[in-house]
Amino acid sequence: MTAPGSGAPVRGPGRTAPQPRPTDLFAERLVAVLSGRRPVHCMLRHTVGRAYDELAWLAERGPLRTRGTQPVVRDIGYYVPRRGAIEAFARIGAGDQLRAMAFRLEQGPDLRWRCTAVELGGPRMPHD
């Protein structure tokens, strides 16, 4: 149903806008941090365990920082190994360059999704 003359959908009772998938939200958040558009601390409440340290280590190296074209998420795929866990990958494009990013999300008892691991092609954070 659309509003008369506008072509815009009308939201009636019980109708809500579709919610973005957690994979989409996290891919965008991670790209914003890894490209330097957002500070790494904005991910504090969205990460668990070693993931924040991995993200901070990666962000310090600025792997997605570019001159000119800002990196964007071009495609996302995922696998659900068990209920409450998602292993995702994203193709990140900046101009004619394409990078791969992988991350894992886990749903906590509060039903919020949090990143538990993140990787980008290239060097990895050393294990202590």
Side-chain angles (χ1 to χ4, degrees):
M1 174 190 251
T2 59
S6 73
V10 173
R11 289 193 194 133
R15 294 183 127 190
T16 59
Q19 296 298 310
R21 295 178 299 198
T23 53
D24 298 348
L25 292 172
F26 274 87
E28 292 293 340
R29 288 173 181 161
L30 292 169
V31 167
V33 168
L34 296 172
S35 66
R37 291 186 303 217
R38 304 273 322 261
V40 72
H41 69 264
C42 75
M43 291 296 291
L44 265 172
R45 65 187 191 109
H46 302 290
T47 56
V48 175
R50 189 174 163 91
Y52 183 80
D53 295 335
E54 291 170 344
L55 184 58
W57 188 87
L58 284 168
E60 188 176 286
R61 282 142 185 81
L64 296 180
R65 290 178 197 222
T66 60
R67 289 199 166 103
T69 307
Q70 290 290 323
V72 294
V73 177
R74 289 204 180 151
D75 187 33
I76 299 174
Y78 63 92
Y79 169 70
V80 180
R82 65 170 171 77
R83 187 177 174 151
I86 300 172
E87 294 178 355
F89 68 87
R91 291 182 190 96
I92 312 301
D96 61 352
Q97 292 186 335
L98 194 60
R99 301 279 310 261
M101 177 174 66
F103 55 100
R104 181 178 173 92
L105 303 177
E106 293 190 18
Q107 195 172 35
D110 61 358
L111 302 181
R112 289 182 49 220
W113 290 96
R114 291 178 181 85
C115 184
T116 59
V118 62
E119 290 183 11
L120 208 58
R124 292 185 181 178
M125 185 176 110
H127 286 79
D128 296 333

